[in-house]
Amino acid sequence: MAVRAGSPGPLQLATDVEEIVDLSPVSLISGQTQSELERVCKELFEAYDGDRDERGRRHGHGTFKSKRSGSVYTGMYDKDKKHGWGKIEYKCGDIYEGNFTNNKKNGQGTYSWVINGNHYDGTWKDDFMDGHGIIRWGDGHKYQGSIKMNQRHGNGTMRYKDGEIYKGEYINNVKCGEGQIDFPNGDMYRGGFDNNKRYGLGRIKYSNGNEFIGQWENDSYSGGEYNWDNGD
């Protein structure tokens, strides 16, 4: 069997604009008048409901409704920055719930896409899915393994909705390196991959017991040894 040409594409994350007003003398010199700052501060104050520190900054637990992005954040703050456990409900309907560090998604967290039912549960680094996690696509596909900057990267297992299973290496969402495919019909390939295609030394064992061991190029065997189950 041929390796499938297509695979679930990159996952797009919604964005959130943090609204922080600088009340220092530098900001006043830069062109903002005191009345303009007071107006903005009033809008921000009305948009936030929660704990504050002695300087009036968001600090502790609270809920902030962003007029600029339409998102709603509920969770922990540290000196006006999202820090600790929290939840963002984006205007588009997507939801992130997990840990924040210095205003960015870091550590463990989940992200759900409303438009297609996709879901990610794993680690984050500076607003990117990064480390190790599980991606479930709304149409039935599932990936578990290494992730780097929102892409399958490193070792992982991809289970397709039709029953095909790939276990092996990825580079930027593409099968590349050593891996194994278990096909729904019982065939099994183990060997090299390049750009989502079988490449280099590999072995395929068919469900009827026959097998081929040799070189592959562009997803087809180019030379090697074919063994029949009857010993021929």
Side-chain angles (χ1 to χ4, degrees), residues 170-182:
Y170 279 94
I171 296 180
N172 298 332
N173 271 346
V174 174
K175 300 181 186 74
C176 194
E178 294 295 313
Q180 175 178 319
I181 293 182
D182 295 304

Side-chain angles (χ1 to χ4, degrees), residues 187-225:
D187 297 348
M188 184 275 290
Y189 170 83
R190 180 183 297 169
F193 288 85
D194 182 61
N195 196 28
N196 271 340
K197 295 180 179 180
R198 288 169 285 190
Y199 181 84
L201 183 62
R203 168 179 175 263
I204 185 167
K205 187 174 181 65
Y206 297 96
S207 58
N208 61 9
N210 299 342
E211 68 175 6
F212 170 82
I213 303 174
Q215 294 295 317
W216 295 73
E217 186 174 351
N218 199 29
D219 216 31
S220 299
Y221 39 79
S222 58
E225 180 179 312

Side-chain angles (χ1 to χ4, degrees), residues 50-112:
D51 300 329
R52 295 180 181 273
D53 63 10
E54 66 279 0
R55 293 178 56 185
R57 295 174 297 189
R58 289 164 282 179
H59 191 82
H61 189 272
T63 297
F64 182 80
K65 299 179 180 179
S66 173
K67 292 185 177 181
R68 294 173 63 187
S69 68
S71 64
V72 178
Y73 171 78
T74 300
M76 300 303 297
Y77 277 98
D78 182 71
K79 299 175 182 177
D80 256 344
K81 295 184 177 181
K82 295 187 284 286
H83 195 89
W85 200 259
K87 177 181 180 181
I88 296 180
E89 298 174 77
Y90 294 95
K91 185 178 180 179
C92 65
D94 293 357
I95 296 175
Y96 169 82
E97 185 169 6
N99 196 65
F100 290 85
T101 302
N102 197 30
N103 247 358
K104 294 183 177 181
K105 305 178 189 73
N106 276 290
Q108 194 71 23
T110 64
Y111 192 102
S112 298

Side-chain angles (χ1 to χ4, degrees), residues 120 122-125 128-133 145-149 153:
Y120 172 74
T123 56
W124 296 73
K125 183 179 179 181
F128 288 97
M129 296 179 287
D130 199 289
H132 189 276
S146 296
I147 295 172
K148 184 177 181 180
M149 296 186 74
H153 191 92

